[in-house]
Amino acid sequence: MYDQILVGISHVFQPWTLLAVMCGVAGGLVIGSIPGLTSTMAIALLVPLTYAMEIEFALPLLMGVYCGAISGGLVGAVLLNIPGTPASAGTCLDGYPMAAKGQATRALGLAVYSSMIGGTISGLALVLIAPLLAKVAMSFGPWEYFALVVFTFTCISAMSAKGRAVKAFMAAFIGLALALVGLDEASGQTRLTFGFTSFQAGFYELPALIGLYAIPQLLADTDDIGRKGKVLKIQYDLRIFMSTFREVVSRWWDLVRSSLIGIVIGILPGVGPGLSNIVAYSQAKHASRTPEKFGKGELAESVMSPEAANNASMGGALIPMLTLGIPGDASTLMMLGAFMLHGIDPGPLLFRDHGDIVWIVFIAFFVAFAFCAILYHFFIPLTVKAISVPRQYVIPVLLILCTVGCYALNNRMFDVYCFLGFGLLGYLLHIAKVPVLPVILGLILGPMAEEQLSLALAFGQGSLAPFFLRPISGAILMVALLSLVLPPILGRLRSKADIEPA
Amino acid sequence: MRTTDLLFSALYLGVLLIAFGQMAGLNENSGAVYTSAKLYPTLVLGIGLLVGVIETTRTLLTKLPADAPTFSVVWQHAFGPRRMLLLGLFVVYLLAIKPVGFLVATFVFCFATTAALAPVRGPRLFLIAGVVALSTLAVIYLLLVVYLEAFLP
């Protein structure tokens, strides 16, 4: 293992790679700070352009963008009361009131340092948990993998907004159906191609990913054109900013609790920083001796908790992606696309066959956070300007970059048209308020589910019993079933309990 | 929102039924004894259809919340003029890349979209739109052609 660590270090600590990580972080900070542009969008823009790069260079660059973009959302949350990314929604609740009281630098300092510490704790969790989970996953057979795919979809459904759980399942089946398109290698027959030869190779994941995320989001972003958000004025003082570090460290218990929440939520498939920051905020309020002061911009922990949690989710989300090939959230889904683009399939075998690549990811994660911490000291004024860039200049440029990126993958216009087609599908889902993530997961996990089901049936001589009798597979399916059944039952019990005392 | 939900469910069920019909044309022949080319697709599309029916029934039986947006509000918002303008310009741009060429089409799209989406138009806007369009082209050319040695669309 030590030789792999050294190989990882030697790759990441190359001058050009370090520069790439720094540029990635800087770009991510700027994109993440613009409300409406998420980390997923930032990675989506970059992934196709990394196809010509060596993976040892591309992965640190993408890690830089990932860390920068998630962290960048806090500036808009604090100064504009609009989170740059959903990951910073909880930060608005106290960050903006604190900034409105003339303590903008303090609010930003608290948010930045807690983000960096939360991210670093999650990096440690990633390094400690991922190799262990990969070892456990080495013993997984097709039954366990198929059960994991089922669990992923039930988990997304359970985490969906109220009344949207079945819709999340429908979205997953749209993705699974789209994954059927193309040539079935086992039988040599084409499926759902409707006579079009272009469909025989199936859909390439990246144009689909980018289209489903970018086009609906950019169309919706046009609503913000002409709207003038009230950006709070800030007299940035580096000394005040740095002095908040002590305040953050003195609240170490809040940091640890929020980071753990972030890591656990990050590990769950389909949810990530967007949920963890809200949960961490409510838990901090619950644990506080002065919960009445939450929402007033007085307490440090009310700003720190959501930021520590959202960054901690990043390491958590990378754990299932690297060890099982199942992404924790939309951004890691894009990272999964980057791995696939370079011909590497994440999963337990990644740790055995490409241990150096895994360590490049681990080390780049820490380096990206280090750069993020350093750059934030000087980038606050720039990110403040970035949040006020008029959308009409940004939207067409991003659409063009997405188009170029999709074309550059295979040098064919078919991918560009797929990008548009999936974008229109994404917009339809957006109108119907159907989550997009299950569609993409269905598209990516569909072939894996088919392969594992075929293998499981072949090994089990057609029997379904091993799915339930093998301990890990049975346990995963049991948890999947509980995640489906428990939320409605608990919801009903809670609403009954609310009525009865009255 | 109920009408939108029902329309979505109807579209979903329709598409899945068509896909299900296509699967009927597949042969059962497969190298494996216990699986076939039809098994997994039938499973996916069959359960998918069942889920669609459950959701449709749920939508029909569930009481509509008082604050739920009406069908016309949802669709007016979804087909807002700026959104449709951007979508229309983008589709035209993609179709124009082949006949007109990438560089010209990109410059025109970037310039026209920036100008068309802006709430207030004036000479300053056109100047900035021109600079943004040229800078975008320059960055793409440098990154793709010079640095990555790739092809432009």
Side-chain angles (χ1 to χ4, degrees):
Chain A
M1 186 178 81
Y2 293 107
D3 53 333
Q4 289 174 343
I5 299 174
L6 288 174
V7 171
I9 290 173
S10 69
H11 279 302
V12 176
F13 283 89
Q14 294 287 331
W16 285 110
T17 313
L18 286 174
L19 185 68
V21 178
M22 195 179 77
C23 291
V25 170
L29 282 178
V30 172
I31 291 184
S33 63
I34 299 173
L37 299 185
T38 59
S39 58
T40 312
M41 171 74 85
I43 302 171
L45 285 173
L46 195 63
V47 167
L49 300 178
T50 63
Y51 83 101
M53 299 173 187
E54 295 290 325
I55 191 163
E56 295 85 358
F57 183 82
L59 286 179
L61 173 65
L62 288 167
M63 290 309 294
V65 174
Y66 182 35
C67 295
I70 292 276
S71 308
L74 65 91
V75 182
V78 170
L79 296 181
L80 200 62
N81 203 20
I82 300 172
T85 63
S88 294
T91 315
C92 290
L93 301 173
D94 273 74
Y96 185 76
M98 190 179 279
K101 284 180 178 171
Q103 298 177 18
T105 310
R106 181 187 170 218
L108 288 169
L110 290 169
V112 167
Y113 286 123
S114 46
S115 287
M116 298 309 119
I117 294 171
T120 310
I121 293 173
S122 81
L124 291 172
L126 172 68
V127 172
L128 293 172
I129 298 172
L132 291 177
L133 188 58
K135 266 187 192 166
V136 175
M138 288 288 274
S139 64
F140 282 11
W143 303 274
E144 283 77 19
Y145 275 108
F146 187 77
L148 270 173
V149 174
V150 174
F151 171 67
T152 303
F153 291 125
T154 55
C155 197
I156 291 173
S157 173
M159 298 289 179
S160 299
K162 201 181 169 192
R164 300 273 130 186
V166 188
K167 282 229 160 48
F169 263 122
M170 287 167 83
F173 280 103
I174 292 173
L176 289 170
L178 285 168
L180 292 174
V181 176
L183 189 73
D184 172 37
E185 286 176 12
S187 65
Q189 298 177 79
T190 54
R191 298 189 299 208
L192 301 178
T193 57
F194 297 94
F196 292 102
T197 48
S198 309
F199 287 161
Q200 281 187 2
F203 294 115
Y204 199 39
E205 292 91 356
L206 275 170
L209 285 177
I210 300 170
L212 280 166
Y213 266 97
I215 290 182
Q217 193 181 326
L218 291 173
L219 287 175
D221 279 355
T222 56
D223 297 348
D224 295 335
I225 292 172
R227 270 188 208 159
K228 286 191 176 173
K230 195 185 171 191
V231 184
L232 292 175
K233 284 189 178 168
I234 172 174
Q235 284 191 325
Y236 181 65
D237 186 333
L238 187 61
R239 267 185 296 180
I240 296 175
F241 184 84
M242 289 174 76
S243 68
T244 54
F245 183 71
R246 273 191 187 171
E247 201 178 350
V248 170
V249 175
S250 69
R251 307 260 172 200
W252 64 274
W253 174 238
D254 287 300
L255 276 178
V256 172
R257 185 189 53 241
S258 303
S259 301
L260 289 178
I261 290 171
I263 292 165
V264 171
I265 291 182
I267 292 173
L268 291 174
V271 283
L275 179 70
S276 66
N277 72 99
I278 300 287
V279 175
Y281 180 86
S282 63
Q283 285 304 312
K285 189 176 177 181
H286 193 65
S288 174
R289 287 179 187 169
T290 52
E292 70 281 359
K293 287 186 178 175
F294 270 68
K296 293 179 180 170
E298 290 178 21
L299 301 171
E301 62 264 34
S302 58
V303 180
M304 287 163 48
S305 300
E307 278 303 319
N310 68 24
N311 278 261
S313 295
M314 295 165 63
L318 282 170
I319 293 171
M321 194 276 273
L322 288 172
T323 55
L324 304 168
I326 293 174
D329 64 353
S331 299
T332 41
L333 200 80
M334 293 288 173
M335 295 292 288
L336 182 71
F339 274 86
M340 291 157 90
L341 181 66
H342 289 272
I344 289 177
D345 289 327
L349 294 180
L350 178 71
F351 285 74
R352 192 191 69 187
D353 301 339
H354 300 283
D356 51 337
I357 299 284
V358 173
W359 278 98
I360 287 174
V361 173
F362 289 170
I363 292 161
F365 189 82
F366 288 109
V367 171
F369 269 112
F371 273 122
C372 212
I374 296 166
L375 286 180
Y376 245 128
H377 289 79
F378 311 102
F379 260 53
I380 294 283
L382 180 68
T383 45
V384 169
K385 280 191 180 158
I387 59 176
S388 357
V389 172
R391 293 291 179 284
Q392 64 265 30
Y393 301 127
V394 181
I395 292 168
V397 174
L398 292 179
L399 273 176
I400 292 167
L401 290 177
C402 289
T403 307
V404 170
C406 290
Y407 178 81
L409 290 166
N410 289 311
N411 291 326
R412 57 178 190 174
M413 283 304 283
F414 176 71
D415 288 332
V416 176
Y417 300 136
C418 279
F419 161 64
L420 175 66
F422 276 94
L424 293 175
L425 171 66
Y427 192 57
L428 178 73
L429 298 173
H430 175 85
I431 296 169
K433 295 202 186 309
V434 177
V436 170
L437 186 63
V439 180
I440 300 172
L441 280 172
L443 193 62
I444 288 188
L445 298 180
M448 176 180 162
E450 182 171 11
E451 188 189 347
Q452 300 301 334
L453 180 67
S454 300
L455 284 172
L457 290 175
F459 290 159
Q461 297 184 324
S463 169
L464 292 174
F467 282 108
F468 308 101
L469 298 178
R470 284 174 67 97
I472 298 177
S473 168
I476 295 170
L477 286 175
M478 179 60 80
V479 175
L481 183 69
L482 287 176
S483 72
L484 269 186
V485 176
L486 276 184
I489 293 175
L490 288 176
R492 284 201 179 167
L493 286 177
R494 208 172 289 156
S495 57
K496 259 190 182 178
D498 285 345
I499 295 164
E500 273 169 9
Chain B
M1 199 65 209
R2 177 180 282 170
T3 317
T4 312
D5 284 347
L6 287 173
L7 272 176
F8 174 75
S9 295
L11 188 64
Y12 169 88
L13 288 171
V15 171
L16 251 61
L17 274 173
I18 294 170
F20 206 82
Q22 288 279 314
M23 286 301 160
L26 285 178
N27 293 323
E28 285 282 5
N29 65 328
S30 170
V33 181
Y34 299 102
T35 59
S36 73
K38 265 186 180 178
L39 177 76
Y40 177 77
T42 311
L43 202 66
V44 164
L45 297 172
I47 300 175
L49 280 168
L50 183 68
V51 171
V53 171
I54 291 171
E55 174 61 14
T56 311
T57 317
R58 195 194 69 85
T59 311
L60 287 168
L61 296 179
T62 310
K63 254 190 179 177
L64 199 66
D67 58 344
T70 59
F71 177 72
S72 60
V73 168
V74 171
W75 284 74
Q76 267 175 13
H77 189 61
F79 292 96
R82 274 217 183 94
R83 291 184 181 196
M84 289 304 106
L85 179 68
L86 177 65
L87 188 61
L89 285 169
F90 185 58
V91 171
V92 172
Y93 162 62
L94 292 186
L95 294 175
I97 288 178
K98 267 191 178 173
V100 180
F102 173 75
L103 294 176
V104 176
T106 301
F107 179 82
V108 173
F109 169 71
C110 194
F111 183 86
T113 310
T114 309
L117 290 178
V120 184
R121 289 179 194 91
R124 191 167 169 268
L125 169 77
F126 295 123
L127 182 71
I128 297 175
V131 172
V132 170
L134 278 176
S135 314
T136 308
L137 274 182
V139 169
I140 290 171
Y141 191 83
L142 283 173
L143 189 71
L144 230 71
V145 180
V146 178
Y147 175 64
L148 295 174
E149 295 175 358
F151 298 103
L152 289 173

